[in-house]
Amino acid sequence: MEKKLGVYICQGCGLQEALKTDGLEGIAAEKNIEPCRVHPILCSPEGVDLIKNDIDNEGVNTVVIAACSRRVLYDVFNFGPGLVVERVNLREGVVWSHKPIQEGEEAPPDVEDPYELIQEMAEDYLRMGIAKAQRTVPAEPYEAEINRKILVMGGGVSGLSAALEASKAGYEVTVVEKNKEVGGYAAQLRKQTPWAAPYEALQEPIIDKIIREVEAHPKIDIRTSTEVARIAGAPGMFDLTFKDPGTKSKWDVPRQLTVEEREELEKAGEEAPEAGALKLEDATPDNPASILVENPDAERFGAVVLATGWKPYKPAQGEFEHLGYGASPNVVTNVAFEEMAAAGKISRPSDGQPVQSVAFIQSPGQGSDEDFPFAAGVTSMVALKQAKYVRDDNPKAKAYIFYQHMRTLGQNEYFYKSIQDDDGIFLTKGDVVSVAGNGDGALVLEADDTLLGQRIKVNVDLVVLATGMVPTTRDEPIMNLAYRQGRGFRDLDLFDGYADSNFICFPYETRRTGIYAVGTIRRSMSIPECIEDAAGAALKAIQCIESANRGQAVHPRSGDMTYPDFYFERCTQCKRCTEECPFGALDDDVKGTPLTNPTRCRRCGICLGACPERIISFVDYSIDNIASMIKAIQVPEEDEEKPRVVILACENDAYPALDICGLNGLTYSPYVRIIPVRCLGSVNVVWIKDSLSKGLDGILMIGCKYGDDYQCHMIKGSELADIRMDKIGEALKSLALEKERVQQVEIAIDEYDKLPGIIGEFMETIEEVGPNPFKGF
Amino acid sequence: MTEESTVQEESQAAVENEAPVESTPAILVEPDLDFVRELKAAGGDTLKKCFQCATCSVVCELAPEQKPYPRKEMIYAQWGLKDRLVNSVDVWLCHYCNDCSAHCPRGARPGDTLRAIRAMSFRHFAFPNFMGKVVGQAKYWPIMVAIPVVVLLLGLLVTGHFHIPEGAVELREFFPLYLVDVIFITFTALAIVSLGFGVWNFLQGIHANSISEGYAEDKPLVMGDYVKSLISMIPTILLHNKFKLCITNRDRYQSHLLVFLGFIGLFIVTNIGFLALYIVRVDFLAPPYSFINPVKLLALASGVALLIGIALVISNRYKEKAAESTTTYLDWCLILAILGIVVTGFLTWISRVADAGWFAYVIYFLHLVCVFYIIAYLPYSKLAHLVYRTVAMGYAAYINRPFGLQAVAAGAVAAPAPEVALTVEKPGAEEAAEEVEASAEAPAEAEEEQPAEEEEKKE
């Protein structure tokens, strides 16, 4: 397609006052670009019409808009999918974040015009924008047949509620439940904490209502006594194989070996199977241990909702010994107590006698005031409920609750108040020191630091420990994904085993696109919270399907129609892209070359940054694209004393933070040239080399935080960049270049006020190391 | 370290100094579920709503710094710890002003809860014990009223005076003086004996409880010293000094003072009459009195004070928002009895002077019923507070448990302890001057805010 560029320069928002428009027009003329138009308010209907007119009548098909940041008014400057729009950030990036040289301020030699440095910046950005636009092609969506069915793994309250939400929105849903009946733990309660106003009394479990609704719904298919053996494929085209629960099927995804296990096998002279598969030659349709073999009988689904929930906490041998657990049968967990209560009247496990007094312990103590593991805000509610059971069964009985925290969130405060009102429920904050036999067949509980002002002991028949809800993903992979990177989610110990992504920003997301976690598998929550959560997860599943249907990325680059293109002819099968992709979007094919799954891809570009052969590109973001931007920067001679630094800013937190500096009038060095990148992980080392050989004095990479408390929207991107830049230090030394010239900085979007200081510090470092010796070569 | 921070640390330590640092042996706790229900029925119906935020203890103008009330009493009440509550001296230091209830974020009404605890105290220490139950419960009221009516009618019957006399109104023609004296002296003596037993047990009880709570030393009670402390509290009580400190219920201070002084006046007048009639035999001082007799004037003044006082008490009760406090059966009993006494008293006098015939005698009879009611049931009714609270306040003075005015006074008088050294570095003259100024302000502030600290230092 023949490219016809048009350059449009806005004069509003302070641009006219600070910039010489004819200078900018000169840049377009240099490149022989016509039309090049100027407008006082480009985003006005007249301004937009100006552009549209050129598109319709002049054949312009690539529009370069020199105005505000690309993060704003993208709906105004949208001319349809076949048209490339490149935004040059002259407002937030230049005019709002830079002031002319003030009187008395130090200036480089020969600079008389106070606006000279700002003009240089603007002209460079226009050059860069044009260079990129010339190499950008409109995206054509990846087209594939997308299946619109949703699979819900787990038939508990979360799974069933998600199924209802999705089916009410018009989608067909299959619910898979490994037990004989649906309902999960929500169906095993005697009563439920209140889920409706006035939130004061215990209610009948809501699950029955939900089950009836689900069973009656025509779009929901429930399959009990069924487990998932394998999930192959990608969003929009997941191929599911099912099996009987607890059995081994030939389609089970083999466990991926750990590094240690591989090494041991190698030492023993055996060949380690690839990614948990047998050697591919040994895989046959009858013995398809390889993840590459497809099951012809698999069922196809568009998205998966993971709702396998929780399991009761099982104390280890000797754990909670000081509380009598294990020593006495009358010390039980809250789950065991609920089972007793649901079965009938509560009695002492040791001798079956009716219970006159029960103590509920909310925190194991021993120097810490934390609740039991995995408790969150649920066990307080459960203790209040179960104390009420005791009193309902016997009006003369006494129930004690010893807590460090009483967590009754939101409307549940009314429930707490109503339980408090019961004469026979005695609450106190306290540190339970011990539970032991009292010599009379009952137990004696001792607690310190109580609200009664001293160490007390009470005699009780039964003690209940408020243990928590352990997510099923803590101990088992659950997922059985036929992905090269392994069958389960990775690094879940960062989240204590909960199925999670960086959920602060992105609830329901997991590291596997198209798979959404809901309910107690992502954090301890109560039944009403699960029901609410289910709506979110169902919506995510629908978003995924509909995005894939349009060839668009789901999240976080929602709506992005580009996808990575691989020039396989030059692939050396080094596997860096397949290993480093945070989302497991790349598998291996038979030859070991990366096998792309475009709908799994989140378009972060980390593969692009990883590839040493530079064979990966997106139509609007490629090695060439960005390198040409770098090469378009005008580098002044050394004696002009105007350093040039490239800032690669990730589009998630860093680039917005830079914009926010502009919005707040915070200024930074005019010698920097900012290039937004998709993720710092997508920065290819060749760009660093190109910058340095072009004569740029330094490269500053600004991106999101990484580590255990990561904020990187692509999970590992900035961390990978950091590792790669470490290696670059060696290459720099060999070129007699200081490694201080290339630095990476972590920033969060709310730390924008630190950016001027960070950039300033970097510029000082560059001043110290001096100008790039390759300048002018 | 500046003096300000040291003072803050010390006050923090003083406030947190509730339990000793070494672990004490655990105390067996056995909640009494029936007691919880009794408390709720006696006016503490909202006591379970408390969630121990301690706003009440902070807001109370009278509560001491160390182990203040009413917070701990609320949790004791929730846990049905009867023993700790009926034997508590703290519940009697409370003057029921309702600052606490007004500020309670949960509507737990600690003021009312403490009132209920006091009502249970009356019941617990009542001698004989069944009288406590009878007087305390609404269902027995008809019996309570019937007894004085029956006793007085019987008296009339037995002495052959069971008729309305003819002629000018002459009260003793209807109800002979000796009969009045026999009946009332007997029942007064019974009341005194019963009170004696009750109060003796009460004193022993609060002493033992105060030792276990840690505000009294583990030594036997020295009666002589106790009596001295008791006497030292009398001016405070007469002047209602503690009462004055309460904010929410300022009206109650006034109405109670009037009722209190009115009663004292009438008590004096009655005793002067008795003495003059039987012992000293001074006609001038014996009843009946003429208008201008000083005894009569005192009586009238006291009566008026009592009338206004009780009228204010009743109107205050209606003004009081339900959120802050409720009025229970026990309260109304006493109020009506006092109202009865003062109204029938005035009406008796008026109808005698106006020579109103049978009406005067009937009113006089009713007056005697009311007086009997007040005196005979005094050990078991709310009026017993006049003895229990006095004994308790005396005890608080005895063990130096500072509360209200005492605490503030102590703070204002004592200077900062000499151990708290001022170590000021000399950054510059100006700054040094500022620091000295700041630390000079700090002790003054500290004195206002942490009076208990001084008390502890004294000990």
Side-chain angles (χ1 to χ4, degrees):
Chain A
M1 182 195 66
E2 169 110 20
K3 272 202 157 282
K4 173 126 177 93
L5 267 71
V7 171
Y8 301 89
I9 301 169
C10 184
Q11 292 184 310
C13 296
L15 262 58
Q16 185 180 43
E17 289 77 7
L19 299 173
K20 293 198 200 45
T21 319
D22 47 354
L24 296 171
E25 287 179 287
I27 306 291
E30 254 175 48
K31 314 266 180 212
N32 290 318
I33 295 173
E34 229 187 275
C36 171
R37 307 216 190 272
V38 176
H39 193 281
I41 307 173
L42 200 57
C43 54
S44 66
E46 297 80 34
V48 174
D49 279 343
L50 183 70
I51 303 174
K52 282 205 179 127
N53 194 37
D54 282 348
I55 294 169
D56 295 334
N57 301 328
E58 302 289 330
V60 166
N61 56 26
T62 302
V63 169
V64 177
I65 297 179
C68 41
S69 164
R70 67 185 200 169
R71 292 174 56 251
V72 299
L73 297 177
Y74 39 81
D75 49 331
V76 170
F77 297 124
N78 181 353
F79 305 102
L83 208 119
V84 171
V85 174
E86 181 61 34
R87 303 284 295 277
V88 174
N89 190 352
L90 295 185
R91 188 182 73 169
E92 288 90 328
V94 178
V95 165
W96 282 6
S97 49
H98 297 85
K99 286 198 181 50
I101 302 174
Q102 307 293 320
E103 267 201 47
E105 228 183 286
E106 231 189 86
D110 304 331
V111 168
E112 285 168 5
D113 179 0
Y115 286 93
E116 183 170 314
L117 301 176
I118 298 179
Q119 184 72 20
E120 280 177 2
M121 242 190 141
E123 288 179 6
D124 259 347
Y125 277 138
L126 186 53
R127 287 189 194 98
M128 290 156 78
I130 290 171
K132 181 157 186 271
Q134 283 169 335
R135 289 163 185 77
T136 301
V137 170
E140 281 185 24
Y142 174 75
E143 297 206 327
E145 213 185 288
I146 299 297
N147 184 294
R148 281 196 152 100
K149 280 167 52 177
I150 297 174
L151 177 80
V152 175
M153 287 173 65
V157 64
S158 307
L160 294 178
S161 301
L164 272 176
E165 295 285 350
S167 56
K168 283 179 188 166
Y171 292 78
E172 285 192 28
V173 181
T174 299
V175 176
V176 160
E177 165 58 49
K178 75 168 191 259
N179 292 316
K180 283 198 277 255
E181 318 227 333
V182 290
Y185 280 98
Q188 292 172 29
L189 313 168
R190 181 202 270 198
K191 286 266 169 86
Q192 192 180 318
T193 55
W195 42 269
Y199 300 99
E200 285 173 5
L202 297 179
Q203 292 185 261
E204 291 307 311
I206 198 178
I207 190 72
D208 297 318
K209 191 159 81 97
I210 296 176
I211 293 175
R212 280 198 300 274
E213 238 188 289
V214 165
E215 283 171 351
H217 204 289
K219 282 200 192 288
I220 304 178
D221 169 29
I222 305 181
R223 299 197 206 162
T224 52
S225 301
T226 309
E227 249 185 355
V228 168
R230 168 184 295 221
I231 304 178
M237 46 188 91
F238 283 118
D239 286 323
L240 273 281
T241 310
F242 302 109
K243 64 175 180 178
D244 289 333
T247 60
K248 279 202 185 323
S249 100
K250 64 184 186 184
W251 294 104
D252 281 356
V253 177
R255 182 178 66 82
Q256 197 182 30
L257 298 175
T258 63
V259 177
E260 293 83 22
E261 285 167 331
R262 279 182 178 272
E263 283 170 2
E264 278 205 35
L265 278 175
E266 270 156 31
K267 260 195 250 161
E270 292 175 33
E271 251 188 84
E274 266 307 315
L278 292 178
K279 272 215 249 174
L280 199 54
E281 299 86 81
D282 299 334
T284 64
D286 289 323
N287 184 18
S290 164
I291 59 172
L292 293 174
V293 180
E294 287 175 19
N295 178 2
D297 298 323
E299 286 179 55
R300 186 153 274 212
F301 289 90
V304 176
V305 172
L306 177 62
T308 52
W310 62 283
K311 49 184 193 193
Y313 185 90
K314 277 206 166 43
Q317 183 75 356
E319 203 180 358
F320 312 136
E321 225 172 21
H322 65 295
L323 299 177
Y325 190 77
S328 165
N330 295 329
V331 177
V332 298
T333 62
N334 45 13
V335 175
F337 186 84
E338 190 70 34
E339 269 174 41
M340 284 197 272
K345 265 207 171 173
I346 300 154
S347 57
R348 256 194 335 206
S350 59
D351 55 7
Q353 289 299 306
V355 152
Q356 301 293 343
S357 55
V358 182
F360 295 87
I361 303 178
Q362 300 305 108
S363 158
Q366 301 208 298
S368 157
D369 75 339
E370 301 240 340
D371 281 357
F372 284 85
F374 300 100
V378 180
T379 53
S380 298
M381 298 282 292
V382 171
L384 293 169
K385 173 179 78 159
Q386 293 180 336
K388 197 70 175 152
Y389 289 167
V390 173
R391 299 277 304 143
D392 285 343
D393 281 359
N394 177 1
K396 289 212 177 64
K398 297 178 188 156
Y400 303 88
I401 305 181
F402 291 89
Y403 60 87
Q404 291 287 15
H405 313 284
M406 184 50 69
R407 297 153 134 174
T408 49
L409 312 167
Q411 311 276 26
N412 297 318
E413 187 70 7
Y414 294 118
F415 178 58
Y416 173 44
K417 283 185 177 182
S418 108
I419 297 295
Q420 261 192 296
D421 241 2
D422 186 307
D423 295 345
I425 297 183
F426 307 105
L427 296 122
T428 181
K429 189 175 195 298
D431 181 11
V432 177
V433 171
S434 67
V435 172
N438 73 348
D440 250 350
L443 299 163
V444 60
L445 180 154
E446 213 170 290
D448 208 352
D449 290 331
T450 64
L451 290 168
L452 284 85
Q454 61 205 152
R455 205 166 160 123
I456 61 169
K457 49 184 185 189
V458 288
N459 287 319
V460 288
D461 289 328
L462 189 58
V463 168
V464 180
L465 306 182
T467 48
M469 311 159 86
V470 181
T472 45
T473 36
R474 188 185 72 153
D475 299 325
E476 295 154 43
I478 299 289
M479 282 317 295
N480 294 314
L481 290 161
Y483 281 26
R484 185 199 186 279
Q485 282 187 359
R487 58 184 181 167
F489 298 119
R490 302 210 287 193
D491 294 340
L492 287 189
D493 31 272
L494 269 183
F495 309 114
D496 293 328
Y498 288 111
D500 189 62
S501 180
N502 187 357
F503 84 101
I504 305 156
C505 286
F506 317 130
Y508 318 114
E509 282 291 340
T510 63
R511 288 190 194 184
R512 297 290 176 251
T513 311
I515 304 190
Y516 302 100
V518 63
T520 49
I521 201 167
R522 65 178 201 89
R523 68 172 170 85
S524 285
M525 54 171 83
S526 64
I527 293 171
E529 287 177 282
C530 285
I531 296 172
E532 230 180 61
D533 217 38
L539 282 169
K540 280 301 301 191
I542 293 169
Q543 180 195 21
C544 172
I545 290 170
E546 294 306 332
S547 298
N549 193 39
R550 294 191 288 262
Q552 291 175 352
V554 186
H555 152 92
R557 293 196 114 241
S558 308
D560 187 0
M561 278 198 280
T562 67
Y563 54 87
D565 227 334
F566 285 69
Y567 187 63
F568 286 113
E569 284 84 340
R570 282 194 12 234
C571 172
T572 59
Q573 291 157 5
C574 71
K575 309 278 208 270
R576 260 175 242 194
C577 56
T578 51
E579 284 292 323
E580 291 184 358
C581 174
F583 311 108
L586 299 164
D587 293 332
D588 285 341
D589 71 2
V590 183
K591 293 192 295 247
T593 319
L595 182 68
T596 63
N597 296 282
T599 54
R600 289 189 206 169
C601 176
R602 297 197 194 181
R603 287 47 165 192
C604 62
I606 287 178
C607 47
L608 187 156
C611 184
E613 294 299 316
R614 303 185 293 279
I615 67 169
I616 305 174
S617 64
F618 297 79
V619 291
D620 66 348
Y621 184 76
S622 63
I623 304 284
D624 189 29
N625 248 338
I626 304 297
S628 66
M629 286 178 88
I630 293 170
K631 288 174 191 151
I633 299 173
Q634 289 246 316
V635 180
E637 299 293 320
E638 196 173 307
D639 57 354
E640 287 185 62
E641 290 183 29
K642 289 180 190 169
R644 283 289 179 266
V645 156
V646 141
I647 292 183
L648 299 170
C650 100
E651 65 184 9
N652 297 295
D653 270 3
Y655 195 70
L658 285 162
D659 270 0
I660 296 175
C661 280
L663 283 166
N664 283 291
L666 299 177
T667 58
Y668 48 89
S669 166
Y671 300 130
V672 303
R673 302 291 179 261
I674 298 169
I675 297 178
V677 294
R678 290 191 178 198
C679 174
L680 280 193
S682 71
V683 171
N684 195 295
V685 156
V686 73
W687 296 336
I688 311 292
K689 293 197 196 130
D690 283 345
S691 307
L692 291 168
S693 50
K694 171 82 182 167
L696 292 163
D697 301 294
I699 299 105
L700 179 62
M701 305 206 303
I702 310 180
C704 311
K705 295 188 197 233
Y706 54 87
D708 276 358
D709 219 0
Y710 69 86
Q711 288 188 16
C712 176
H713 291 47
M714 307 301 179
I715 301 162
K716 282 191 141 357
S718 49
E719 191 175 339
L720 286 165
D722 187 56
I723 297 170
R724 292 176 201 151
M725 292 315 136
D726 247 0
K727 304 208 176 104
I728 239 206
E730 302 294 317
L732 288 175
K733 264 215 314 224
S734 67
L735 289 168
L737 282 171
E738 303 81 346
K739 66 175 176 61
E740 289 87 347
R741 293 190 187 273
V742 181
Q743 280 187 32
Q744 182 176 336
V745 165
E746 293 170 89
I747 200 117
I749 194 169
D750 59 319
E751 293 174 328
Y752 64 89
D753 54 321
K754 299 199 179 112
L755 276 170
I758 291 172
I759 297 174
E761 253 183 67
F762 187 71
M763 295 312 295
E764 274 174 29
T765 310
I766 295 300
E767 222 188 283
E768 274 171 32
V769 297
N772 184 338
F774 289 106
K775 240 190 253 277
F777 273 92
Chain B
M1 190 166 16
T2 64
E3 188 174 74
E4 197 175 72
S5 59
T6 325
V7 158
Q8 277 174 2
E9 282 168 16
E10 287 187 1
S11 69
Q12 229 182 328
V15 166
E16 285 168 353
N17 189 21
E18 302 211 346
V21 177
E22 336 63 71
S23 76
T24 43
I27 298 185
L28 183 67
V29 155
E30 289 170 304
D32 182 343
L33 207 46
D34 291 325
F35 184 65
V36 177
R37 297 206 181 105
E38 281 169 3
L39 270 180
K40 275 183 149 183
D45 51 303
T46 50
L47 66 90
K48 290 288 285 178
K49 294 187 185 211
C50 166
F51 65 168
Q52 294 288 292
C53 70
T55 300
C56 52
S57 291
V58 169
V59 139
C60 176
E61 296 285 339
L62 303 180
E65 287 277 323
Q66 190 211 10
K67 285 201 161 186
Y69 56 86
R71 179 199 67 83
K72 62 187 192 300
E73 283 72 19
M74 291 304 280
I75 189 126
Y76 295 162
Q78 289 185 341
W79 277 58
L81 304 180
K82 175 168 182 180
D83 222 51
R84 281 192 218 196
L85 291 172
V86 295
N87 289 304
S88 156
V89 65
D90 272 6
V91 302
W92 295 99
L93 306 183
C94 161
H95 281 52
Y96 197 26
C97 72
N98 284 319
D99 280 351
C100 52
S101 295
H103 286 87
C104 174
R106 295 293 246 205
R109 303 202 332 261
D112 280 352
T113 307
L114 258 61
R115 177 268 307 271
I117 295 169
R118 292 191 288 271
M120 300 310 295
S121 265
F122 297 140
R123 248 190 259 188
H124 178 76
F125 289 107
F127 183 86
N129 201 257
F130 73 88
M131 281 306 292
K133 293 200 185 66
V134 165
V135 175
Q137 290 172 310
K139 59 184 178 183
Y140 297 118
W141 192 70
I143 299 178
M144 281 173 62
V145 175
I147 291 176
V149 170
V150 165
V151 166
L152 291 171
L153 286 177
L154 265 177
L156 285 178
L157 203 62
V158 158
T159 55
H161 280 259
F162 201 74
H163 61 272
I164 304 281
E166 300 281 324
V169 169
E170 189 56 62
L171 292 177
R172 55 191 84 181
E173 286 294 309
F174 168 64
F175 211 106
L177 264 181
Y178 71 85
L179 186 59
V180 172
D181 294 329
V182 162
I183 293 175
F184 281 91
I185 290 173
T186 310
F187 280 94
T188 306
L190 283 174
I192 291 175
V193 165
S194 160
L195 254 184
F197 276 104
V199 161
W200 177 254
N201 289 328
F202 175 65
L203 189 56
Q204 300 303 319
I206 59 179
H207 184 57
N209 176 272
S210 300
I211 292 171
S212 76
E213 284 282 4
Y215 15 91
E217 283 173 35
D218 193 355
K219 293 202 294 244
L221 190 70
V222 180
M223 251 317 164
D225 291 339
Y226 169 71
V227 170
K228 277 196 218 140
S229 302
L230 182 62
I231 292 171
S232 77
M233 285 304 287
I234 289 181
T236 306
I237 293 174
L238 286 176
L239 295 170
H240 277 28
N241 279 338
K242 304 295 181 194
F243 226 140
K244 256 197 283 198
L245 292 174
C246 302
I247 295 167
T248 304
N249 247 329
R250 219 57 224 293
D251 299 340
R252 185 176 277 172
Y253 152 73
Q254 290 162 350
S255 61
H256 188 270
L257 191 61
L258 283 171
V259 171
F260 180 70
L261 294 175
F263 251 117
I264 290 181
L266 290 170
F267 181 73
I268 293 172
V269 161
T270 313
N271 281 297
I272 291 177
F274 181 79
L275 287 170
L277 268 180
Y278 296 113
I279 305 194
V280 183
R281 295 202 185 266
V282 179
D283 277 338
F284 171 70
L285 291 175
Y289 303 103
S290 74
F291 262 116
I292 49 161
N293 190 310
V295 179
K296 190 62 178 184
L297 290 172
L298 177 60
L300 281 176
S302 305
V304 165
L306 193 56
L307 184 64
I308 297 175
I310 199 68
L312 282 177
V313 164
I314 295 174
S315 86
N316 285 344
R317 293 258 164 199
Y318 280 104
K319 254 201 301 181
E320 245 156 62
K321 291 161 236 149
E324 273 164 31
S325 72
T326 56
T327 308
T328 61
Y329 162 73
L330 211 63
D331 302 314
W332 282 123
C333 268
L334 182 59
I335 291 174
L336 284 177
I338 296 175
L339 185 68
I341 283 188
V342 72
V343 165
T344 55
F346 271 111
L347 282 178
T348 304
W349 173 60
I350 292 169
S351 53
R352 173 175 68 82
V353 165
D355 207 9
W358 59 268
F359 181 74
Y361 297 126
V362 169
I363 283 291
Y364 183 54
F365 184 80
L366 289 176
H367 183 68
L368 290 176
V369 168
C370 291
V371 177
F372 183 102
Y373 189 100
I374 286 267
I375 293 179
Y377 300 135
L378 191 151
Y380 325 105
S381 76
K382 194 174 161 189
L383 197 50
H385 79 269
L386 95 86
V387 181
Y388 283 101
R389 181 167 271 121
T390 310
V391 167
M393 283 170 76
Y395 182 76
Y398 172 69
I399 59 169
N400 277 317
R401 186 151 171 72
F403 70 108
L405 200 62
Q406 224 174 34
V408 171
V413 161
E419 310 91 76
V420 179
L422 205 85
T423 49
V424 177
E425 273 132 17
K426 298 196 179 15
E430 222 181 285
E431 290 159 61
E434 276 180 311
E435 281 201 64
V436 169
E437 227 183 296
S439 44
E441 283 177 320
E445 279 173 2
E447 279 156 17
E448 279 166 28
E449 287 161 15
Q450 291 109 29
E453 194 196 322
E454 318 306 331
E455 287 292 301
E456 293 202 285
K457 288 204 190 105
K458 277 199 225 153
E459 281 161 24

